[in-house]
Amino acid sequence: GENVEQHPSTLSVQEGDSAVIKCTYSDSASNYFPWYKQELGKRPQLIIDIRSNVGEKKDQRIAVTLNKTAKHFSLHITETQPEDSAVYFCAASNQAGTALIFGKGTTLSVSS
Amino acid sequence: NAGVTQTPKFQVLKTGQSMTLQCAQDMNHEYMSWYRQDPGMGLRLIHYSVGAGITDQGEVPNGYNVSRSTTEDFPLRLLSAAPSQTSVYFCASSYRSARDTEAFFGQGTRLTVV
């Protein structure tokens, strides 16, 4: 089955710096890669996603890149702000769309 | 629009007790799933359903049962609670499958088994 590895597990940056979180997946047939943000005590919420026919997608300060050959995808957050502090999860769906497999999460801390 | 609603928010069980975690969505989503979240382990898929009457196992199904008699409801049953089932449980739904669109999560149920 699909396996998703996520690094780093914790990331501390200064306000205004960039943050990068990387994920690798095992199933070459995976075709959907979302990123979720979970604030303390809250539910996970989608922040951006990318499909296998696209190499990069941007939404304001957030971007995701996908390298299908290497089977890895990354989340880039520019000009970080304290409110970006949260746990971020990457995920990959299997080809059939019957399962969304999550990485173990990255705790991002942005200090002002 | 309530989205995905889970009940209860908190629950304490004794070892061996059974209980049902409720999940309901009002978005007419076909795909529903249950995850458990443990520190350092991310979100692990327990069971999922691609439509009414159809369920299947995820990564960690042992000790849990599900059913999907209607499109709206997807309850998770703990048959005989064990301390290893202490966790935060999230129900999620998406339009047709896990790869179509955003998965909407419920607010979570924090379960403690003593």
Side-chain angles (χ1 to χ4, degrees):
Chain A
E2 176 68 279
N3 184 51
V4 178
E5 299 284 339
Q6 182 172 348
H7 298 280
S9 57
T10 61
L11 181 59
S12 295
V13 299
Q14 292 286 322
E15 183 177 2
D17 288 348
S18 295
V20 180
I21 303 170
K22 299 181 179 182
C23 290
T24 60
Y25 59 97
S26 60
D27 186 354
S28 57
S30 292
N31 53 15
Y32 178 60
F33 308 94
W35 286 88
Y36 285 81
K37 175 183 180 181
Q38 185 180 31
E39 297 176 348
L40 190 62
K42 301 288 184 64
R43 71 191 79 187
Q45 292 191 299
L46 180 75
I47 54 171
I48 195 167
D49 58 13
I50 192 168
R51 299 191 182 276
S52 58
N53 58 348
V54 176
E56 183 176 5
K57 185 177 179 180
K58 291 183 179 180
D59 183 4
Q60 299 183 339
R61 296 186 296 110
I62 295 173
V64 58
T65 59
L66 172 65
N67 184 326
K68 287 194 300 180
T69 302
K71 292 190 287 187
H72 68 70
F73 56 113
S74 300
L75 178 71
H76 305 254
I77 305 174
T78 59
E79 300 173 20
T80 54
Q81 302 167 1
E83 51 264 40
D84 293 329
S85 297
V87 179
Y88 291 80
F89 293 98
C90 63
S93 72
N94 60 3
Q95 186 183 28
T98 54
L100 193 60
I101 305 302
F102 285 81
K104 294 185 178 180
T106 296
T107 300
L108 173 64
S109 299
V110 181
S111 54
S112 56
Chain B
N1 191 343
V4 181
T5 303
Q6 285 182 239
T7 56
K9 291 184 179 180
F10 302 94
Q11 182 71 49
V12 179
L13 287 179
K14 294 182 179 179
T15 297
Q17 286 185 318
S18 62
M19 79 160 293
T20 299
L21 279 62
Q22 301 292 342
C23 175
Q25 53 90 11
D26 62 359
M27 298 174 283
N28 201 32
H29 285 173
E30 293 185 18
Y31 182 87
M32 296 185 74
S33 55
W34 277 101
Y35 289 88
R36 59 177 290 172
Q37 183 175 26
D38 303 292
M41 297 298 292
L43 294 153
R44 292 183 291 171
L45 182 64
I46 304 172
H47 284 284
Y48 66 89
S49 169
V50 297
I54 306 170
T55 64
D56 207 343
Q57 298 180 350
E59 302 169 271
V60 289
N62 292 340
Y64 308 94
N65 273 355
V66 292
S67 60
R68 184 95 179 271
S69 56
T70 66
T71 299
E72 295 77 19
D73 300 300
F74 190 44
L76 178 73
R77 281 183 286 277
L78 279 71
L79 309 174
S80 177
S84 60
Q85 294 179 304
T86 293
S87 187
V88 179
Y89 292 85
F90 285 99
C91 177
S93 75
S94 53
Y95 178 49
R96 288 185 305 177
S97 74
R99 66 178 180 185
D100 278 328
T101 56
E102 174 178 2
F104 291 87
F105 284 82
Q107 72 269 41
T109 296
R110 184 173 294 275
L111 175 69
T112 302
V113 182
V114 298

